[in-house]
Amino acid sequence: MELLPTLIWTFTRKVRVVYASVGLLIGISVLFVFGYKYSNWDAALWGLTSGLVAGLTLLLHIQYYRKISKGLYIERTSLSRLMLLGCFIQLAGVCGFVVYLTLAITQGQGLQIYGAGYYLTLVWCFMTWKWGFILLLSARRYRNKFYEVYTILPKSDKC
C-alpha cells in the first residue's frame, strides 16, 4: 500500500519539473520570435517575464526535491518571500492585462502580430499571472509541508 503514494508523488514531481521547464523555454523563445522577428516588444518582454517566473518556479521545485531527498532543512522565510513575490507577479500580470486590454479597445486594434499587437500581449500578461499563481501555490505547498515535518508542537483545532 505504500508503493502507490510513492509512485504518485514521483510522477507529479516529474510533471511539475517538466511543466516549469517547458514554460521557461517557451518564455525565452517568445523573446526572440516576437521581439526580433515581429518587432512586438511588449509581447516579447511579457513573454520573457513569464519564462523567468517559470524558471524561478523550476528552481523552487528542484531545490525542494533535492533538500527533501537529502533530508536537509528548508528555509521557511525564503518560501514566504517566494509566496510574496508570486503575489506581486500576479498583481503585475493583472495590471498589464487591464492596461493592454484598455489600449486595444480604445485604439480599435484588431489581432495583429507585427508592431504593437496588444491582444498578443494580453496572452503573455495572462501567462505571467499564471506562473505567479503557480509560484505562490508551490511555495505555499512546500511551506505547509515544512510546518508538518519540522513543527514539534501538536496541531490545535482552533487554528
Side-chain angles (χ1 to χ4, degrees):
M1 291 310 232
E2 294 290 327
L3 182 62
L4 186 61
T6 307
L7 288 175
I8 292 173
W9 173 252
T10 305
F11 178 73
T12 57
R13 175 177 55 180
K14 289 179 183 178
V15 167
R16 287 179 189 145
V17 168
V18 167
Y19 187 62
S21 300
V22 169
L24 174 65
L25 292 175
I26 289 175
I28 292 172
S29 67
V30 163
L31 174 70
F32 294 111
V33 171
F34 285 113
Y36 293 114
K37 180 148 175 67
Y38 297 119
S39 297
N40 188 348
W41 289 104
D42 293 334
L45 292 177
W46 277 102
L48 177 66
T49 305
S50 171
L52 292 177
V53 178
L56 187 60
T57 306
L58 175 66
L59 288 176
L60 173 66
H61 291 315
I62 291 173
Q63 177 188 14
Y64 179 78
Y65 296 136
R66 279 188 184 167
K67 289 192 175 190
I68 285 297
S69 67
K70 293 180 181 177
L72 297 175
Y73 179 77
I74 300 166
E75 296 84 14
R76 180 178 51 111
T77 56
S78 65
L79 293 175
S80 297
R81 288 181 186 140
L82 284 175
M83 285 176 55
L84 186 63
L85 181 63
C87 287
F88 283 124
I89 291 169
Q90 283 183 320
L91 181 64
V94 167
C95 290
F97 190 89
V98 169
V99 165
Y100 285 109
L101 182 63
T102 304
L103 285 173
I105 291 172
T106 56
Q107 293 182 5
Q109 189 181 75
L111 182 64
Q112 71 184 68
I113 298 174
Y114 293 98
Y118 295 134
Y119 286 113
L120 287 175
T121 309
L122 286 175
V123 172
W124 291 106
C125 288
F126 174 76
M127 295 297 285
T128 302
W129 173 85
K130 177 193 77 160
W131 279 111
F133 186 67
I134 291 174
L135 178 65
L136 169 73
L137 285 182
S138 298
R140 184 173 180 260
R141 181 184 305 123
Y142 297 148
R143 190 192 66 170
N144 288 343
K145 285 185 181 183
F146 166 83
Y147 283 133
E148 289 175 7
V149 173
Y150 293 110
T151 303
I152 354 177
L153 299 174
K155 291 188 177 184
S156 173
D157 293 333
K158 295 178 184 176
C159 295

